[in-house]
Amino acid sequence: MPSDLSVRAPALPAWRLPGQEALSRLARQVGPAALLFLAILVVWEGVTRAGLVSPLILPAPSDVAATFVAAAPRLFTHLGWTSMAALGGFVLGNTLGFALAVVFVHLRLARLTALPLAMMAQAVPIVAVAPALLLWLGNGVEPKLFIASFLVFFPMLVNAMRGLASADDQVAELLHTLSADWKQRLLMVRLPAALPFVFNALRLSACGCFVASVVAEWVASTTGLGYVIVFASSQYRMTEVWCAVLLCTAASLCVYGLVCLAERLAMPWRRERPGTA
């Protein structure tokens, strides 16, 4: 048989820029949503420019952008007040919810007595009692902080209790036989099992705290994006209303992204699972 005496050169690996693989993965994940968002903006602009929708109902994106550029310093000042109440409520409500979840999981008497009252309080329409909160707490940041904390408290309480109770009973029993106290069992068994549930509650709270802060500013306030929305709506300045809404949306999405980043850092074993990118 004829032998092939030609020597083939080894195939060289494809040359890639540093971070090119991560950028291509990001483009695959974000690209479709970005294209859809761009298409929505184009259709939105075309519909408003064609006069199919009144500018008082739906102003053109270009007009919203022009208003944002002109009013950016004032809008960011109001965003600071809204963010202060929202993030304060985010931290306070989630901390209190997780602390009570730990108490309810370890103390049966507290779970039987206080948990039903906490669930009943969840059904209270907080917007309806907001005027009473203004009388009790004043017209400062306190009622906004209370409402934001109130709305993010229950998702953390429910999710943290489920997560803490989902710990492996055999591992907990093993630590009990090794004379581990409840603090060691909490840190070594219950807390790792509860992390996915806790971060699920944090993701819900990341957007809910800004919604609660804006709603609290609707009732009676002279600062914040909620005040901007109410005041601009009363004067039919709809482009400014949309600027405030989109700015609040962007701020809540930034907090949501930080929570997702913290989840990836806290639970690296979940990065390769489907749906956790």
Side-chain angles (χ1 to χ4, degrees), residues 44-162:
W44 181 358
E45 183 76 22
V47 167
T48 52
R49 293 302 178 188
L52 301 178
V53 180
S54 172
L56 294 178
I57 299 176
L58 190 66
S62 57
D63 296 335
V64 175
T67 303
F68 179 80
V69 172
R74 182 168 55 86
L75 289 175
F76 277 103
T77 300
H78 288 288
L79 174 63
W81 289 102
T82 300
S83 300
M84 181 175 62
L87 296 179
F90 178 84
V91 174
L92 183 60
N94 283 308
T95 302
L96 183 60
F98 183 81
L100 283 182
V102 172
V103 173
F104 290 157
V105 167
H106 288 89
L107 298 178
R108 184 172 181 271
L109 180 60
R111 183 170 64 253
L112 293 178
T113 55
L115 182 58
L117 296 178
M119 294 297 101
M120 290 174 59
Q122 185 181 9
V124 174
I126 192 63
V127 178
V129 300
L133 292 176
L134 293 175
L135 294 177
W136 298 338
L137 303 177
N139 195 17
V141 72
E142 291 83 4
K144 307 172 191 176
L145 189 64
F146 179 86
I147 292 176
S149 303
F150 186 84
L151 291 184
V152 306
F153 166 78
F154 294 102
M156 175 56 71
L157 176 64
V158 174
N159 281 276
M161 285 188 61
R162 288 191 60 191

Side-chain angles (χ1 to χ4, degrees), residues 54-275:
S54 172
L56 294 178
I57 299 176
L58 190 66
S62 57
D63 296 335
V64 175
T67 303
F68 179 80
V69 172
R74 182 168 55 86
L75 289 175
F76 277 103
T77 300
H78 288 288
L79 174 63
W81 289 102
T82 300
S83 300
M84 181 175 62
L87 296 179
F90 178 84
V91 174
L92 183 60
N94 283 308
T95 302
L96 183 60
F98 183 81
L100 283 182
V102 172
V103 173
F104 290 157
V105 167
H106 288 89
L107 298 178
R108 184 172 181 271
L109 180 60
R111 183 170 64 253
L112 293 178
T113 55
L115 182 58
L117 296 178
M119 294 297 101
M120 290 174 59
Q122 185 181 9
V124 174
I126 192 63
V127 178
V129 300
L133 292 176
L134 293 175
L135 294 177
W136 298 338
L137 303 177
N139 195 17
V141 72
E142 291 83 4
K144 307 172 191 176
L145 189 64
F146 179 86
I147 292 176
S149 303
F150 186 84
L151 291 184
V152 306
F153 166 78
F154 294 102
M156 175 56 71
L157 176 64
V158 174
N159 281 276
M161 285 188 61
R162 288 191 60 191
L164 293 172
S166 67
D168 193 338
D169 294 334
Q170 295 182 354
V171 177
E173 186 66 24
L174 175 61
L175 288 180
H176 180 71
T177 58
L178 296 175
S179 301
D181 57 11
W182 70 272
K183 295 180 182 179
Q184 292 173 324
R185 294 195 298 270
L186 174 64
L187 294 177
M188 300 176 64
V189 180
R190 292 189 182 276
L191 185 58
L195 279 180
F197 296 88
V198 169
F199 277 105
N200 183 45
L202 291 176
R203 287 196 298 269
L204 294 174
S205 302
C207 298
C209 64
F210 277 89
V211 174
S213 180
V214 169
V215 170
E217 291 166 350
W218 285 355
V219 180
S221 179
T222 58
T223 57
L225 293 178
Y227 163 75
V228 173
I229 293 173
V230 172
F231 185 75
S233 298
S234 65
Q235 298 186 350
Y236 299 99
R237 300 204 306 262
M238 300 309 298
T239 55
E240 190 169 336
V241 172
W242 277 93
C243 287
V245 170
L246 295 177
L247 191 57
C248 184
T249 303
S252 61
L253 288 178
C254 288
V255 178
Y256 183 89
L258 291 176
V259 171
C260 293
L261 177 60
E263 182 180 8
R264 287 175 58 86
L265 296 177
M267 297 186 294
W269 59 86
R270 290 173 56 88
R271 296 178 186 176
E272 301 302 328
R273 293 187 181 182

